[in-house]
Amino acid sequence: MPMIAVSVSPQQAAQIRAAVENGGYASGSQVVREALHLWSESLRAEGQVEPDDKAPTITLGDKAYAGRVCIAELFDAHRNRSRA
């Protein structure tokens, strides 16, 4: 599985640790994978992601993202869309 490094707030880190310590998840990685899966499903439900996982296209605002994209750029676009 590919490895990436991400930064989370202290509160998010505490939530991840608590989820593991409470036995709901085996590892912090599992928590993050589940969160990304739920986020991806919500984008699909809103019609912002094509169902084809091989070459997804994500549309946020007036910009479409296809193939490999920077997650920070997607997050910023999602945050800006939520503020509008």
Side-chain angles (χ1 to χ4, degrees):
M1 191 171 280
M3 299 286 292
I4 62 169
V6 298
S7 296
V8 297
S9 71
Q11 295 83 5
Q12 291 167 324
Q15 289 174 319
I16 292 169
R17 281 192 298 274
V20 174
E21 290 170 2
N22 291 336
Y25 295 89
S27 68
S29 293
Q30 190 180 39
V31 174
V32 172
R33 281 193 300 272
E34 176 71 10
L36 289 171
H37 172 75
L38 292 170
W39 178 53
S40 182
E41 289 300 314
S42 73
L43 290 175
R44 274 194 187 87
E46 294 174 10
Q48 295 181 29
V49 177
E50 293 179 4
D52 178 10
D53 290 335
K54 294 179 185 173
T57 298
I58 300 170
T59 303
L60 291 173
D62 60 351
K63 190 167 183 183
Y65 303 85
R68 293 182 180 213
V69 296
C70 173
I71 193 70
E73 191 175 346
L74 285 175
F75 179 77
D76 286 342
H78 177 72
R79 183 175 46 203
N80 292 338
R81 181 182 65 96
S82 297
R83 290 180 183 164

